[in-house]
Coordinates of all heavy atoms in Angstrom, one line a residue:
I205 N 20.4 215.0 147.9 CA 20.5 213.8 147.1 C 21.8 213.9 146.3 O 22.4 212.7 146.0 CB 19.3 213.8 146.1 CG1 18.0 213.7 146.8 CG2 19.5 212.8 145.0 CD1 17.9 212.3 147.4
A206 N 22.3 215.0 145.8 CA 23.6 215.0 145.1 C 24.7 214.7 146.0 O 25.7 213.9 145.6 CB 23.8 216.5 144.6
A207 N 24.7 215.1 147.3 CA 25.7 214.6 148.2 C 25.6 213.1 148.6 O 26.7 212.5 148.6 CB 25.6 215.4 149.6
G208 N 24.4 212.6 148.6 CA 24.2 211.2 148.8 C 24.8 210.3 147.6 O 25.5 209.3 147.9
K209 N 24.4 210.8 146.4 CA 25.0 210.0 145.3 C 26.5 210.1 145.2 O 27.2 209.0 144.7 CB 24.3 210.6 143.9 CG 22.9 210.3 143.7 CD 22.3 210.8 142.4 CE 20.9 210.4 142.3 NZ 20.4 210.9 141.0
A210 N 27.1 211.2 145.5 CA 28.6 211.4 145.6 C 29.1 210.3 146.6 O 30.2 209.7 146.3 CB 29.0 212.7 145.9
A211 N 28.5 210.3 147.8 CA 29.0 209.4 148.8 C 28.9 207.8 148.3 O 29.8 207.2 148.6 CB 28.3 209.6 150.2
Y212 N 27.7 207.5 147.7 CA 27.5 206.2 147.2 C 28.6 205.8 146.1 O 29.0 204.7 146.2 CB 26.1 206.1 146.6 CG 25.8 204.7 146.2 CD1 25.3 203.7 147.2 CD2 25.9 204.3 144.9 CE1 24.9 202.4 146.9 CE2 25.5 202.9 144.6 CZ 25.0 202.0 145.6 OH 24.7 200.7 145.3
A213 N 28.9 206.8 145.3 CA 30.0 206.6 144.3 C 31.3 206.2 145.0 O 32.1 205.5 144.4 CB 30.1 207.8 143.4
R214 N 31.7 207.0 146.0 CA 32.9 206.8 146.7 C 33.0 205.4 147.3 O 34.0 204.8 147.4 CB 33.2 207.9 147.8 CG 33.4 209.2 147.2 CD 34.0 210.2 148.3 NE 32.9 210.4 149.4 CZ 32.0 211.4 149.4 NH1 32.1 212.2 148.4 NH2 31.2 211.5 150.4
I215 N 31.9 205.0 147.8 CA 31.7 203.6 148.5 C 32.1 202.5 147.5 O 32.6 201.6 148.0 CB 30.4 203.4 149.1 CG1 30.2 204.4 150.3 CG2 30.1 202.0 149.6 CD1 28.9 204.5 150.9
Q216 N 31.8 202.7 146.2 CA 32.0 201.6 145.2 C 33.4 201.8 144.7 O 33.7 200.8 143.9 CB 31.0 202.0 144.0 CG 29.6 202.2 144.4 CD 29.1 201.2 145.4 OE1 29.1 199.9 145.4 NE2 28.3 201.6 146.4
L217 N 34.3 202.6 145.0 CA 35.6 202.8 144.5 C 36.5 201.7 144.6 O 37.3 201.2 143.8 CB 36.3 204.2 144.9 CG 35.7 205.4 144.4 CD1 36.3 206.6 145.0 CD2 35.7 205.4 142.8
R218 N 36.4 201.1 145.9 CA 37.3 199.9 146.1 C 36.7 198.6 145.4 O 35.6 198.3 145.7 CB 37.4 199.7 147.7 CG 38.2 198.4 148.1 CD 38.4 198.3 149.5 NE 39.2 197.0 149.7 CZ 40.2 196.9 150.5 NH1 40.7 198.0 151.2 NH2 40.8 195.8 150.6
T219 N 37.6 198.1 144.5 CA 37.2 197.1 143.8 C 38.1 195.8 144.2 O 37.6 194.7 144.1 CB 37.3 197.3 142.2 OG1 38.6 197.6 141.9 CG2 36.4 198.4 141.9
N220 N 39.3 196.0 144.6 CA 40.2 194.8 144.9 C 39.9 194.3 146.3 O 39.8 195.2 147.2 CB 41.6 195.3 144.8 CG 42.6 194.2 145.1 OD1 42.4 193.0 144.5 ND2 43.6 194.4 145.8
D221 N 39.8 193.1 146.5 CA 39.6 192.4 147.8 C 38.3 193.1 148.6 O 38.4 193.3 149.6 CB 40.8 192.7 148.7 CG 40.8 192.0 149.9 OD1 40.1 190.9 150.1 OD2 41.5 192.5 150.9
R222 N 37.3 193.2 147.7 CA 36.2 193.9 148.2 C 35.3 192.8 149.2 O 35.4 191.7 148.9 CB 35.3 194.3 147.1 CG 34.1 195.3 147.6 CD 33.4 196.0 146.5 NE 32.3 196.7 147.0 CZ 32.4 197.9 147.3 NH1 33.6 198.6 147.4 NH2 31.3 198.6 147.8
D223 N 34.6 193.3 150.1 CA 33.9 192.5 151.0 C 32.8 191.8 150.4 O 32.3 192.2 149.3 CB 33.2 193.4 152.3 CG 33.5 192.8 153.6 OD1 33.8 191.5 153.6 OD2 33.4 193.5 154.5
L224 N 32.3 190.6 150.9 CA 31.3 189.8 150.5 C 30.1 190.6 150.9 O 29.9 191.3 151.9 CB 31.3 188.5 151.1 CG 32.6 187.6 150.8 CD1 32.6 186.4 151.7 CD2 32.8 187.4 149.4
G225 N 28.9 190.2 150.2 CA 27.7 190.7 150.5 C 27.0 189.9 151.7 O 27.4 188.9 152.0
L226 N 26.1 190.6 152.3 CA 25.4 189.8 153.6 C 24.6 188.7 153.1 O 23.9 188.9 152.2 CB 24.8 190.8 154.5 CG 25.5 191.6 155.5 CD1 26.5 192.5 154.8 CD2 24.6 192.4 156.3
S227 N 24.5 187.7 153.9 CA 23.7 186.6 153.5 C 22.3 186.9 153.9 O 22.0 187.7 154.7 CB 24.1 185.3 154.2 OG 23.9 185.3 155.6
D228 N 21.3 186.2 153.4 CA 19.8 186.4 153.9 C 19.7 186.1 155.3 O 18.9 186.8 156.1 CB 18.9 185.5 153.0 CG 18.9 185.9 151.6 OD1 19.2 187.0 151.2 OD2 18.4 185.1 150.7
A229 N 20.3 185.2 155.8 CA 20.2 184.7 157.3 C 20.8 185.8 158.1 O 20.1 186.3 159.1 CB 21.0 183.5 157.4
T230 N 21.9 186.5 157.7 CA 22.5 187.7 158.4 C 21.6 188.8 158.4 O 21.3 189.5 159.5 CB 23.8 188.0 157.9 OG1 24.8 186.9 158.3 CG2 24.4 189.2 158.5
S231 N 21.0 189.2 157.3 CA 20.1 190.2 157.1 C 19.0 190.1 158.0 O 18.4 191.0 158.7 CB 19.7 190.4 155.7 OG 20.9 190.9 154.9
A232 N 18.3 188.9 157.9 CA 17.2 188.7 158.9 C 17.4 188.8 160.4 O 16.7 189.4 161.1 CB 16.7 187.2 158.5
A233 N 18.6 188.4 160.8 CA 19.0 188.3 162.1 C 19.1 189.8 162.6 O 18.7 190.2 163.7 CB 20.2 187.5 162.4
Q234 N 19.8 190.6 161.7 CA 20.1 192.0 162.0 C 18.7 192.7 162.1 O 18.5 193.5 163.0 CB 20.9 192.7 161.0 CG 22.4 192.3 161.0 CD 23.2 193.1 160.2 OE1 22.8 193.9 159.3 NE2 24.5 192.9 160.3
F235 N 17.8 192.5 161.3 CA 16.5 193.1 161.1 C 15.7 192.8 162.4 O 15.1 193.7 163.1 CB 15.7 192.6 159.9 CG 14.4 193.3 159.7 CD1 14.4 194.7 159.4 CD2 13.2 192.7 159.8 CE1 13.2 195.4 159.2 CE2 12.0 193.3 159.6 CZ 11.9 194.6 159.3
T236 N 15.8 191.5 162.8 CA 15.0 191.1 164.2 C 15.6 191.9 165.3 O 14.9 192.3 166.2 CB 15.3 189.6 164.4 OG1 14.6 189.0 163.3 CG2 14.6 189.2 165.6
A237 N 17.0 192.0 165.3 CA 17.6 192.7 166.4 C 17.3 194.2 166.4 O 17.1 194.7 167.6 CB 19.2 192.6 166.4
V238 N 17.2 194.8 165.4 CA 16.9 196.3 165.4 C 15.5 196.5 165.7 O 15.2 197.5 166.4 CB 17.1 196.8 163.8 CG1 16.5 198.1 163.6 CG2 18.7 196.9 163.6
L239 N 14.6 195.7 165.3 CA 13.1 195.8 165.6 C 12.9 195.6 167.0 O 12.1 196.3 167.7 CB 12.2 194.9 164.8 CG 12.1 195.0 163.4 CD1 11.2 194.1 162.7 CD2 11.8 196.5 163.0
S240 N 13.6 194.7 167.8 CA 13.5 194.5 169.1 C 14.0 195.7 169.9 O 13.3 196.1 170.9 CB 14.3 193.2 169.5 OG 14.3 193.1 170.9
W241 N 15.1 196.2 169.4 CA 15.7 197.5 170.1 C 14.7 198.7 169.9 O 14.7 199.5 170.9 CB 17.1 197.9 169.4 CG 17.7 199.0 169.9 CD1 17.6 200.3 169.7 CD2 18.8 199.1 170.9 NE1 18.4 201.2 170.3 CE2 19.2 200.3 171.2 CE3 19.4 198.0 171.6 CZ2 20.1 200.7 172.1 CZ3 20.4 198.4 172.6 CH2 20.7 199.7 172.7
A242 N 14.0 198.7 168.9 CA 13.1 199.8 168.7 C 11.7 199.7 169.6 O 11.1 200.7 169.5 CB 12.8 200.0 167.2
Q243 N 11.5 198.6 170.1 CA 10.3 198.4 170.8 C 10.3 199.4 172.1 O 11.3 199.5 172.8 CB 10.2 197.0 171.4 CG 9.9 196.0 170.4 CD 8.7 196.3 169.5 OE1 7.6 196.5 170.0 NE2 8.8 196.4 168.1
P244 N 9.2 200.1 172.3 CA 9.1 201.0 173.5 C 9.5 200.4 174.7 O 9.1 199.2 175.1 CB 7.6 201.3 173.5 CG 7.1 201.1 172.1 CD 7.9 199.9 171.7
N245 N 10.4 201.1 175.7 CA 10.8 200.5 176.8 C 11.0 201.6 177.8 O 11.9 202.4 177.8 CB 12.2 199.9 176.6 CG 12.7 199.2 177.8 OD1 12.2 199.3 179.0 ND2 13.9 198.4 177.6
A246 N 9.9 201.7 178.6 CA 9.8 202.8 179.7 C 11.1 202.7 180.7 O 11.3 203.8 181.3 CB 8.5 202.8 180.5
D247 N 11.6 201.6 180.9 CA 12.7 201.4 181.9 C 14.1 201.5 181.3 O 15.1 201.1 182.1 CB 12.4 200.1 182.7 CG 11.1 200.1 183.4 OD1 10.6 201.1 184.0 OD2 10.5 199.0 183.5
A248 N 14.2 201.7 180.1 CA 15.4 201.8 179.4 C 16.6 202.5 180.0 O 17.8 202.1 180.0 CB 15.3 202.1 177.9
L249 N 16.1 203.6 180.6 CA 17.2 204.6 181.3 C 17.5 204.2 182.6 O 18.6 204.7 183.0 CB 16.6 206.1 181.1 CG 16.3 206.6 179.7 CD1 15.8 208.0 180.1 CD2 17.6 206.6 178.9
E250 N 16.9 203.2 183.2 CA 17.2 202.8 184.5 C 18.6 202.3 184.5 O 19.3 202.3 185.6 CB 16.3 201.7 185.1 CG 14.9 202.3 185.3 CD 14.8 203.3 186.4 OE1 15.4 203.1 187.5 OE2 14.2 204.4 186.2

Side-chain angles (χ1 to χ4, degrees):
I205 293 298
K209 289 184 175 181
Y212 188 81
R214 289 191 297 269
I215 290 171
Q216 312 311 312
L217 288 176
R218 178 174 175 131
T219 56
N220 184 43
D221 190 27
R222 193 168 176 86
D223 222 344
L224 302 172
L226 273 64
S227 68
D228 290 342
T230 290
S231 297
Q234 289 190 348
F235 186 66
T236 298
V238 166
L239 292 185
S240 176
W241 182 271
Q243 293 302 308
N245 185 349
D247 297 323
L249 296 181
E250 290 297 315

